[in-house]
mmCIF file of all heavy atoms in Angstrom:
data_model
loop_
_atom_site.group_PDB
_atom_site.id
_atom_site.type_symbol
_atom_site.label_atom_id
_atom_site.label_comp_id
_atom_site.label_asym_id
_atom_site.label_seq_id
_atom_site.Cartn_x
_atom_site.Cartn_y
_atom_site.Cartn_z
ATOM 1 N N THR A 30 -22.225 24.365 47.071
ATOM 2 C CA THR A 30 -20.817 23.978 46.922
ATOM 3 C C THR A 30 -20.607 22.782 46.043
ATOM 4 O O THR A 30 -19.725 22.674 45.155
ATOM 5 C CB THR A 30 -20.191 23.660 48.336
ATOM 6 O OG1 THR A 30 -20.350 24.855 49.144
ATOM 7 C CG2 THR A 30 -18.714 23.356 48.201
ATOM 8 N N ARG A 31 -21.484 21.764 46.196
ATOM 9 C CA ARG A 31 -21.403 20.561 45.365
ATOM 10 C C ARG A 31 -21.724 20.885 43.940
ATOM 11 O O ARG A 31 -21.125 20.368 42.951
ATOM 12 C CB ARG A 31 -22.351 19.494 45.899
ATOM 13 C CG ARG A 31 -21.902 18.893 47.255
ATOM 14 C CD ARG A 31 -22.935 17.875 47.733
ATOM 15 N NE ARG A 31 -22.495 17.210 49.003
ATOM 16 C CZ ARG A 31 -23.191 16.405 49.675
ATOM 17 N NH1 ARG A 31 -24.484 16.066 49.210
ATOM 18 N NH2 ARG A 31 -22.748 15.870 50.786
ATOM 19 N N ARG A 32 -22.689 21.761 43.724
ATOM 20 C CA ARG A 32 -23.074 22.132 42.379
ATOM 21 C C ARG A 32 -21.970 22.850 41.682
ATOM 22 O O ARG A 32 -21.647 22.573 40.518
ATOM 23 C CB ARG A 32 -24.381 23.032 42.427
ATOM 24 C CG ARG A 32 -24.894 23.387 41.054
ATOM 25 C CD ARG A 32 -26.195 24.243 41.156
ATOM 26 N NE ARG A 32 -27.144 23.486 41.940
ATOM 27 C CZ ARG A 32 -28.270 24.040 42.401
ATOM 28 N NH1 ARG A 32 -28.440 25.327 42.223
ATOM 29 N NH2 ARG A 32 -29.151 23.346 43.074
ATOM 30 N N GLN A 33 -21.335 23.765 42.394
ATOM 31 C CA GLN A 33 -20.171 24.466 41.832
ATOM 32 C C GLN A 33 -19.011 23.519 41.504
ATOM 33 O O GLN A 33 -18.370 23.667 40.485
ATOM 34 C CB GLN A 33 -19.708 25.572 42.760
ATOM 35 C CG GLN A 33 -18.657 26.478 42.139
ATOM 36 C CD GLN A 33 -18.174 27.607 43.089
ATOM 37 O OE1 GLN A 33 -18.081 27.355 44.293
ATOM 38 N NE2 GLN A 33 -17.924 28.801 42.537
ATOM 39 N N GLY A 34 -18.780 22.523 42.389
ATOM 40 C CA GLY A 34 -17.717 21.602 42.119
ATOM 41 C C GLY A 34 -18.037 20.723 40.910
ATOM 42 O O GLY A 34 -17.076 20.429 40.153
ATOM 43 N N ALA A 35 -19.278 20.414 40.700
ATOM 44 C CA ALA A 35 -19.681 19.653 39.539
ATOM 45 C C ALA A 35 -19.379 20.406 38.252
ATOM 46 O O ALA A 35 -18.945 19.887 37.270
ATOM 47 C CB ALA A 35 -21.166 19.206 39.614
ATOM 48 N N TRP A 36 -19.715 21.741 38.288
ATOM 49 C CA TRP A 36 -19.515 22.567 37.102
ATOM 50 C C TRP A 36 -17.947 22.674 36.836
ATOM 51 O O TRP A 36 -17.580 22.633 35.659
ATOM 52 C CB TRP A 36 -20.094 23.983 37.286
ATOM 53 C CG TRP A 36 -21.528 24.070 37.110
ATOM 54 C CD1 TRP A 36 -22.527 24.346 38.079
ATOM 55 C CD2 TRP A 36 -22.285 23.881 35.894
ATOM 56 N NE1 TRP A 36 -23.750 24.289 37.514
ATOM 57 C CE2 TRP A 36 -23.686 24.026 36.153
ATOM 58 C CE3 TRP A 36 -21.909 23.557 34.640
ATOM 59 C CZ2 TRP A 36 -24.669 23.905 35.240
ATOM 60 C CZ3 TRP A 36 -22.860 23.479 33.636
ATOM 61 C CH2 TRP A 36 -24.233 23.645 33.937
ATOM 62 N N ILE A 37 -17.167 22.818 37.888
ATOM 63 C CA ILE A 37 -15.727 22.892 37.661
ATOM 64 C C ILE A 37 -15.182 21.637 37.107
ATOM 65 O O ILE A 37 -14.269 21.616 36.209
ATOM 66 C CB ILE A 37 -15.043 23.231 39.060
ATOM 67 C CG1 ILE A 37 -15.452 24.638 39.480
ATOM 68 C CG2 ILE A 37 -13.541 23.076 38.874
ATOM 69 C CD1 ILE A 37 -14.921 25.010 40.884
ATOM 70 N N ALA A 38 -15.688 20.462 37.653
ATOM 71 C CA ALA A 38 -15.241 19.177 37.053
ATOM 72 C C ALA A 38 -15.612 19.040 35.604
ATOM 73 O O ALA A 38 -14.818 18.541 34.835
ATOM 74 C CB ALA A 38 -15.880 18.018 37.897
ATOM 75 N N LEU A 39 -16.779 19.473 35.308
ATOM 76 C CA LEU A 39 -17.237 19.443 33.848
ATOM 77 C C LEU A 39 -16.359 20.319 33.011
ATOM 78 O O LEU A 39 -15.984 19.952 31.905
ATOM 79 C CB LEU A 39 -18.719 19.836 33.753
ATOM 80 C CG LEU A 39 -19.325 19.819 32.339
ATOM 81 C CD1 LEU A 39 -19.176 18.491 31.751
ATOM 82 C CD2 LEU A 39 -20.791 20.298 32.392
ATOM 83 N N LEU A 40 -16.049 21.510 33.496
ATOM 84 C CA LEU A 40 -15.146 22.459 32.740
ATOM 85 C C LEU A 40 -13.814 21.837 32.511
ATOM 86 O O LEU A 40 -13.187 21.845 31.393
ATOM 87 C CB LEU A 40 -15.014 23.733 33.544
ATOM 88 C CG LEU A 40 -13.991 24.760 32.924
ATOM 89 C CD1 LEU A 40 -14.353 25.116 31.525
ATOM 90 C CD2 LEU A 40 -13.892 25.951 33.864
ATOM 91 N N ALA A 41 -13.227 21.144 33.550
ATOM 92 C CA ALA A 41 -11.926 20.470 33.369
ATOM 93 C C ALA A 41 -12.022 19.390 32.391
ATOM 94 O O ALA A 41 -11.047 19.186 31.568
ATOM 95 C CB ALA A 41 -11.445 19.921 34.743
ATOM 96 N N LEU A 42 -13.108 18.608 32.403
ATOM 97 C CA LEU A 42 -13.253 17.472 31.486
ATOM 98 C C LEU A 42 -13.353 17.993 30.031
ATOM 99 O O LEU A 42 -12.760 17.473 29.102
ATOM 100 C CB LEU A 42 -14.438 16.653 31.821
ATOM 101 C CG LEU A 42 -14.716 15.376 31.075
ATOM 102 C CD1 LEU A 42 -13.640 14.386 31.342
ATOM 103 C CD2 LEU A 42 -16.043 14.767 31.466
ATOM 104 N N CYS A 43 -14.134 19.081 29.880
ATOM 105 C CA CYS A 43 -14.250 19.625 28.502
ATOM 106 C C CYS A 43 -12.937 20.186 27.961
ATOM 107 O O CYS A 43 -12.593 20.103 26.842
ATOM 108 C CB CYS A 43 -15.319 20.760 28.518
ATOM 109 S SG CYS A 43 -16.976 20.194 28.753
ATOM 110 N N THR A 44 -12.165 20.784 28.879
ATOM 111 C CA THR A 44 -10.869 21.269 28.553
ATOM 112 C C THR A 44 -9.899 20.182 28.051
ATOM 113 O O THR A 44 -9.286 20.262 27.033
ATOM 114 C CB THR A 44 -10.214 22.042 29.712
ATOM 115 O OG1 THR A 44 -11.082 23.102 30.067
ATOM 116 C CG2 THR A 44 -8.902 22.638 29.304
ATOM 117 N N VAL A 45 -9.906 19.091 28.786
ATOM 118 C CA VAL A 45 -9.044 17.952 28.460
ATOM 119 C C VAL A 45 -9.403 17.410 27.120
ATOM 120 O O VAL A 45 -8.570 17.221 26.236
ATOM 121 C CB VAL A 45 -9.151 16.864 29.514
ATOM 122 C CG1 VAL A 45 -8.404 15.555 29.046
ATOM 123 C CG2 VAL A 45 -8.486 17.340 30.820
ATOM 124 N N PHE A 46 -10.709 17.217 26.857
ATOM 125 C CA PHE A 46 -11.137 16.653 25.571
ATOM 126 C C PHE A 46 -10.945 17.639 24.451
ATOM 127 O O PHE A 46 -10.651 17.217 23.313
ATOM 128 C CB PHE A 46 -12.588 16.184 25.577
ATOM 129 C CG PHE A 46 -12.745 14.825 26.209
ATOM 130 C CD1 PHE A 46 -13.204 14.652 27.553
ATOM 131 C CD2 PHE A 46 -12.490 13.666 25.477
ATOM 132 C CE1 PHE A 46 -13.316 13.387 28.085
ATOM 133 C CE2 PHE A 46 -12.647 12.403 25.992
ATOM 134 C CZ PHE A 46 -13.073 12.249 27.298
ATOM 135 N N ALA A 47 -11.088 18.920 24.686
ATOM 136 C CA ALA A 47 -10.867 19.919 23.626
ATOM 137 C C ALA A 47 -9.397 19.905 23.163
ATOM 138 O O ALA A 47 -9.070 19.913 22.010
ATOM 139 C CB ALA A 47 -11.220 21.270 24.132
ATOM 140 N N VAL A 48 -8.508 19.843 24.134
ATOM 141 C CA VAL A 48 -7.107 19.702 23.819
ATOM 142 C C VAL A 48 -6.775 18.408 23.071
ATOM 143 O O VAL A 48 -6.012 18.401 22.109
ATOM 144 C CB VAL A 48 -6.198 19.812 25.123
ATOM 145 C CG1 VAL A 48 -4.763 19.582 24.776
ATOM 146 C CG2 VAL A 48 -6.377 21.220 25.741
ATOM 147 N N PHE A 50 -8.832 16.506 21.228
ATOM 148 C CA PHE A 50 -9.390 16.504 19.866
ATOM 149 C C PHE A 50 -8.614 17.466 18.948
ATOM 150 O O PHE A 50 -8.410 17.167 17.793
ATOM 151 C CB PHE A 50 -10.849 16.861 19.883
ATOM 152 C CG PHE A 50 -11.714 15.810 20.525
ATOM 153 C CD1 PHE A 50 -12.866 16.178 21.256
ATOM 154 C CD2 PHE A 50 -11.448 14.483 20.484
ATOM 155 C CE1 PHE A 50 -13.632 15.186 21.842
ATOM 156 C CE2 PHE A 50 -12.178 13.507 21.056
ATOM 157 C CZ PHE A 50 -13.324 13.856 21.750
ATOM 158 N N LEU A 244 -15.184 18.502 16.867
ATOM 159 C CA LEU A 244 -15.352 17.984 18.206
ATOM 160 C C LEU A 244 -14.684 18.823 19.274
ATOM 161 O O LEU A 244 -15.236 19.027 20.354
ATOM 162 C CB LEU A 244 -14.894 16.583 18.339
ATOM 163 C CG LEU A 244 -15.699 15.479 17.507
ATOM 164 C CD1 LEU A 244 -14.966 14.181 17.511
ATOM 165 C CD2 LEU A 244 -17.064 15.360 18.166
ATOM 166 N N ALA A 245 -13.502 19.394 18.892
ATOM 167 C CA ALA A 245 -12.798 20.258 19.838
ATOM 168 C C ALA A 245 -13.584 21.526 20.129
ATOM 169 O O ALA A 245 -13.692 21.972 21.193
ATOM 170 C CB ALA A 245 -11.388 20.590 19.305
ATOM 171 N N MET A 247 -16.845 21.813 19.897
ATOM 172 C CA MET A 247 -17.989 21.453 20.703
ATOM 173 C C MET A 247 -17.564 21.386 22.155
ATOM 174 O O MET A 247 -18.340 21.814 23.037
ATOM 175 C CB MET A 247 -18.507 20.108 20.222
ATOM 176 C CG MET A 247 -19.191 20.159 18.795
ATOM 177 S SD MET A 247 -19.648 18.552 18.177
ATOM 178 C CE MET A 247 -20.886 18.070 19.419
ATOM 179 N N CYS A 248 -16.422 20.871 22.403
ATOM 180 C CA CYS A 248 -15.978 20.720 23.802
ATOM 181 C C CYS A 248 -15.684 22.152 24.381
ATOM 182 O O CYS A 248 -15.923 22.405 25.546
ATOM 183 C CB CYS A 248 -14.695 19.889 23.852
ATOM 184 S SG CYS A 248 -14.983 18.143 23.616
ATOM 185 N N VAL A 249 -15.165 23.048 23.531
ATOM 186 C CA VAL A 249 -14.917 24.415 23.976
ATOM 187 C C VAL A 249 -16.314 25.080 24.282
ATOM 188 O O VAL A 249 -16.388 25.759 25.396
ATOM 189 C CB VAL A 249 -14.217 25.223 22.870
ATOM 190 C CG1 VAL A 249 -14.210 26.700 23.188
ATOM 191 C CG2 VAL A 249 -12.814 24.740 22.704
ATOM 192 N N GLY A 250 -17.272 24.867 23.460
ATOM 193 C CA GLY A 250 -18.621 25.425 23.722
ATOM 194 C C GLY A 250 -19.179 24.877 25.033
ATOM 195 O O GLY A 250 -19.775 25.615 25.821
ATOM 196 N N ALA A 251 -19.049 23.568 25.226
ATOM 197 C CA ALA A 251 -19.500 22.956 26.453
ATOM 198 C C ALA A 251 -18.733 23.460 27.643
ATOM 199 O O ALA A 251 -19.281 23.720 28.780
ATOM 200 C CB ALA A 251 -19.425 21.413 26.395
ATOM 201 N N GLY A 252 -17.429 23.743 27.473
ATOM 202 C CA GLY A 252 -16.597 24.252 28.566
ATOM 203 C C GLY A 252 -17.049 25.675 28.981
ATOM 204 O O GLY A 252 -17.076 26.023 30.143
ATOM 205 N N ILE A 253 -17.381 26.500 27.929
ATOM 206 C CA ILE A 253 -17.896 27.860 28.288
ATOM 207 C C ILE A 253 -19.106 27.787 29.049
ATOM 208 O O ILE A 253 -19.353 28.551 29.997
ATOM 209 C CB ILE A 253 -17.989 28.649 26.885
ATOM 210 C CG1 ILE A 253 -16.637 28.868 26.325
ATOM 211 C CG2 ILE A 253 -18.744 29.967 27.163
ATOM 212 C CD1 ILE A 253 -16.703 29.563 24.899
ATOM 213 N N ARG A 254 -20.035 26.925 28.612
ATOM 214 C CA ARG A 254 -21.297 26.784 29.370
ATOM 215 C C ARG A 254 -21.010 26.289 30.793
ATOM 216 O O ARG A 254 -21.669 26.776 31.722
ATOM 217 C CB ARG A 254 -22.215 25.695 28.637
ATOM 218 C CG ARG A 254 -23.563 25.605 29.262
ATOM 219 C CD ARG A 254 -24.401 24.649 28.421
ATOM 220 N NE ARG A 254 -25.735 24.500 29.097
ATOM 221 C CZ ARG A 254 -26.704 23.701 28.598
ATOM 222 N NH1 ARG A 254 -26.450 23.005 27.494
ATOM 223 N NH2 ARG A 254 -27.825 23.574 29.277
ATOM 224 N N ALA A 255 -20.101 25.340 30.953
ATOM 225 C CA ALA A 255 -19.750 24.935 32.304
ATOM 226 C C ALA A 255 -19.184 26.047 33.147
ATOM 227 O O ALA A 255 -19.471 26.124 34.323
ATOM 228 C CB ALA A 255 -18.786 23.709 32.266
ATOM 229 N N TRP A 256 -18.339 26.885 32.561
ATOM 230 C CA TRP A 256 -17.731 27.991 33.246
ATOM 231 C C TRP A 256 -18.798 28.989 33.746
ATOM 232 O O TRP A 256 -18.788 29.475 34.852
ATOM 233 C CB TRP A 256 -16.720 28.690 32.374
ATOM 234 C CG TRP A 256 -16.082 29.891 32.960
ATOM 235 C CD1 TRP A 256 -15.164 29.924 33.954
ATOM 236 C CD2 TRP A 256 -16.367 31.272 32.618
ATOM 237 N NE1 TRP A 256 -14.856 31.272 34.241
ATOM 238 C CE2 TRP A 256 -15.595 32.093 33.397
ATOM 239 C CE3 TRP A 256 -17.228 31.827 31.663
ATOM 240 C CZ2 TRP A 256 -15.574 33.482 33.295
ATOM 241 C CZ3 TRP A 256 -17.263 33.240 31.578
ATOM 242 C CH2 TRP A 256 -16.463 34.038 32.389
ATOM 243 N N ARG A 257 -19.750 29.270 32.879
ATOM 244 C CA ARG A 257 -20.852 30.151 33.218
ATOM 245 C C ARG A 257 -21.711 29.539 34.284
ATOM 246 O O ARG A 257 -22.197 30.252 35.232
ATOM 247 C CB ARG A 257 -21.698 30.542 31.983
ATOM 248 C CG ARG A 257 -20.909 31.384 30.960
ATOM 249 C CD ARG A 257 -21.815 31.585 29.705
ATOM 250 N NE ARG A 257 -21.098 32.515 28.740
ATOM 251 C CZ ARG A 257 -21.509 32.699 27.517
ATOM 252 N NH1 ARG A 257 -22.646 32.088 27.130
ATOM 253 N NH2 ARG A 257 -20.870 33.581 26.824
ATOM 254 N N GLY A 258 -21.936 28.289 34.161
ATOM 255 C CA GLY A 258 -22.737 27.597 35.197
ATOM 256 C C GLY A 258 -22.021 27.637 36.539
ATOM 257 O O GLY A 258 -22.721 27.800 37.613
ATOM 258 N N GLY A 259 -20.713 27.543 36.576
ATOM 259 C CA GLY A 259 -19.987 27.572 37.779
ATOM 260 C C GLY A 259 -20.059 28.949 38.437
ATOM 261 O O GLY A 259 -20.170 29.081 39.636
ATOM 262 N N ARG A 260 -19.982 29.992 37.552
ATOM 263 C CA ARG A 260 -20.073 31.363 38.096
ATOM 264 C C ARG A 260 -21.429 31.578 38.734
ATOM 265 O O ARG A 260 -21.514 32.196 39.810
ATOM 266 C CB ARG A 260 -19.836 32.341 36.962
ATOM 267 C CG ARG A 260 -18.378 32.469 36.556
ATOM 268 C CD ARG A 260 -18.147 33.435 35.445
ATOM 269 N NE ARG A 260 -18.601 34.758 35.844
ATOM 270 C CZ ARG A 260 -17.859 35.744 36.356
ATOM 271 N NH1 ARG A 260 -16.562 35.463 36.607
ATOM 272 N NH2 ARG A 260 -18.319 36.933 36.668
ATOM 273 N N ARG A 261 -22.520 31.097 38.088
ATOM 274 C CA ARG A 261 -23.843 31.287 38.681
ATOM 275 C C ARG A 261 -23.988 30.529 39.917
ATOM 276 O O ARG A 261 -24.663 30.971 40.926
ATOM 277 C CB ARG A 261 -24.864 30.846 37.625
ATOM 278 C CG ARG A 261 -25.040 31.793 36.397
ATOM 279 C CD ARG A 261 -26.350 31.473 35.701
ATOM 280 N NE ARG A 261 -26.392 30.131 35.228
ATOM 281 C CZ ARG A 261 -25.983 29.774 34.024
ATOM 282 N NH1 ARG A 261 -25.456 30.713 33.219
ATOM 283 N NH2 ARG A 261 -26.039 28.527 33.568
ATOM 284 N N ALA A 262 -23.355 29.359 40.003
ATOM 285 C CA ALA A 262 -23.491 28.563 41.272
ATOM 286 C C ALA A 262 -22.707 29.233 42.332
ATOM 287 O O ALA A 262 -23.118 29.113 43.580
ATOM 288 C CB ALA A 262 -22.913 27.172 41.020
#
Side-chain angles (χ1 to χ4, degrees):
T30 301
R31 290 179 177 175
R32 185 179 300 171
Q33 187 178 37
W36 282 114
I37 293 174
L39 180 59
L40 173 60
L42 187 64
C43 290
T44 301
V45 169
F46 276 102
V48 172
F50 291 149
L244 290 172
M247 291 173 62
C248 289
V249 169
I253 292 174
R254 183 176 179 183
W256 177 73
R257 290 174 177 173
R260 284 178 61 91
R261 288 196 300 269

